């Protein structure tokens, strides 16, 4: 069977058809449920949980976030929580990875139970509407690393990107030294397409950037166990 014989594959060969705008209010109403997580829009009320990982140097190592104090970090979470729509190139939305049954570090209001703890978050960015390209990024609290949580959240986010949004291609760009993130891309079935040599000046030296990508038809084949 050739690559374009399935009806969906043939549609993929057609022009870009991103379904925009995308408003995360959809996910307030109906969060994405995975085996262990609820993926829903990041909220200002998540600032304490986010601080638990955002304040750690090992988390910041490969993320383009400066060190922030607690107030600055709260503002940063507020700013990201206010990003709720994909409409124009450069727009991003942020999904909280709420671990079901893990109590939040945030104090609950009297008489209310604490929510599920936000142990990480996922970014979905509109890289190019003309070319139906989205970019993903991720972060998980180190206490929860190595449990497959990033893979679980990222797979659901790729389903969203290729399904609801009809992206043609999803990419991830990472510091080439970031072995965990590279391995995550590979586990998801993303292809390492380029190493951009000395693309950024970080930590007092020029660093390479690794670029990963996956196409909609490839993701569908992976999900169907065809790849
Ligand atoms: C990258 C990151 C999100 C992965 O989160 P995670 O929940 O630990 O990832 P998972 O448990 O889903 O593991 C995914 C794959 O990566 C592998 N992996 C995880 N940590 C790793 C490490 N330190 N070195 C090598 N591989 C690693 C896992 O073994 C798994 O591969 P496998 O299925 O072949 O075993 C996490 O390490 C992180 O938040 N890092 C700091 C922030 C960051 O750098 N973000 C990325 C910026 S581009």
């Amino acid at each position: 069977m050739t690559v374009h014989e399935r009806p969906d594959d043939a549609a993929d060969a057609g022009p870009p058809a991103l379904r925009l705008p995308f408003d995360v209010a959809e996910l307030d109403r109906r969060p994405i449920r995975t085996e262990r997580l609820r993926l829903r829009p990041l909220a200002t009320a998540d600032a304490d949980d986010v601080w638990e990982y955002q304040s750690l140097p090992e988390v910041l190592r490969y993320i383009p976030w400066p060190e922030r104090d607690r107030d600055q970090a709260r503002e940063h979470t507020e700013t990201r929580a206010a990003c709720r729509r994909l409409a124009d190139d450069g727009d991003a939305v942020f999904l909280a990875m709420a671990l079901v049954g893990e109590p939040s570090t945030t104090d609950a209001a009297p008489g209310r139970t604490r929510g599920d703890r936000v142990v990480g978050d996922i970014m979905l960015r509109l890289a190019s509407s003309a070319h139906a390209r989205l970019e993903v990024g991720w972060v998980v609290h180190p206490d929860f690393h190595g449990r497959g949580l990033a893979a679980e959240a990222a797979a659901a986010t790729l389903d969203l990107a290729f399904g609801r949004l009809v992206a043609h291609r999803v990419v991830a760009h990472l510091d080439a030294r970031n072995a965990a993130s590279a391995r995550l891309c590979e586990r998801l079935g993303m292809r390492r397409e380029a190493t951009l040599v000395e693309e950024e000046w970080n930590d007092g030296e020029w660093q390479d950037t690794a670029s990963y990508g996956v196409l909609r038809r490839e993701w569908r084949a992976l999900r169907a166990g065809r790849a």
Side-chain angles (χ1 to χ4, degrees):
M1 185 172 291
T2 68
V3 74
H4 289 149
E5 275 182 78
R6 291 167 196 273
D8 272 348
D9 290 346
D12 286 344
L18 263 188
R19 283 198 204 124
L20 295 175
F22 171 66
D23 192 315
V24 285
E26 288 181 22
L27 302 180
D28 284 325
R29 291 190 292 272
R30 213 143 54 101
I32 299 170
R33 189 68 167 87
T34 67
E35 197 188 328
R36 293 167 290 176
L37 299 167
R38 237 168 4 99
L39 294 181
R40 45 101 177 139
L42 187 72
T44 301
D46 298 325
D48 290 343
D49 282 349
V50 173
W51 169 253
E52 294 293 318
Y53 52 89
Q54 189 176 13
S55 56
L56 304 175
E58 71 258 44
V59 167
L60 299 186
R61 184 151 182 235
Y62 299 127
I63 302 192
W65 287 349
E67 274 185 40
R68 293 181 167 93
D69 64 25
R70 202 166 181 138
D71 289 340
Q72 292 167 331
R74 178 170 293 278
E75 259 176 49
H76 180 238
T77 296
E78 259 173 42
T79 303
R80 294 197 303 146
C83 298
R84 293 184 53 88
R85 216 168 116 90
L86 299 181
D88 299 313
D89 289 3
D91 287 351
V93 294
F94 299 90
L95 304 183
M97 295 168 50
L99 182 58
V100 175
E102 179 77 22
S104 170
T105 58
T106 307
D107 284 335
R112 297 191 56 190
T113 51
R114 290 202 219 173
D116 299 324
R117 178 166 170 183
V118 174
V119 297
D121 59 78
I122 292 238
M123 174 199 78
L124 197 55
R125 195 174 76 88
L126 180 54
S128 166
S129 51
H131 303 293
R133 187 167 68 249
L134 295 173
E135 180 186 344
V136 279
W138 34 60
V139 54
V140 171
H141 191 298
D143 286 356
F144 299 88
H145 281 180
R147 301 188 193 180
L149 291 174
E152 197 172 307
T157 305
L158 288 174
D159 283 342
L160 174 73
F162 287 121
R164 160 69 182 80
L165 287 158
V166 200
H168 182 66
R169 193 173 141 73
V170 175
V171 298
H173 304 298
L174 33 131
D175 186 317
R177 300 169 302 172
N178 192 345
S181 204
R183 182 66 213 131
L184 173 58
C185 289
E186 279 150 22
R187 172 168 170 181
L188 289 165
M190 299 179 84
R191 178 180 39 248
R192 186 166 180 142
E193 297 182 328
T195 303
L196 309 174
V197 177
E198 297 191 9
E199 209 207 7
E200 296 200 350
W201 175 260
N202 288 320
D203 308 331
E205 56 178 336
W206 289 105
Q207 297 296 338
D208 298 350
T209 296
S211 283
Y212 283 82
V214 60
L215 300 174
R216 184 164 179 262
R217 63 174 178 271
E218 294 170 333
W219 183 248
R220 197 168 44 250
L222 283 162
R223 284 307 228 183
R226 285 191 272 136

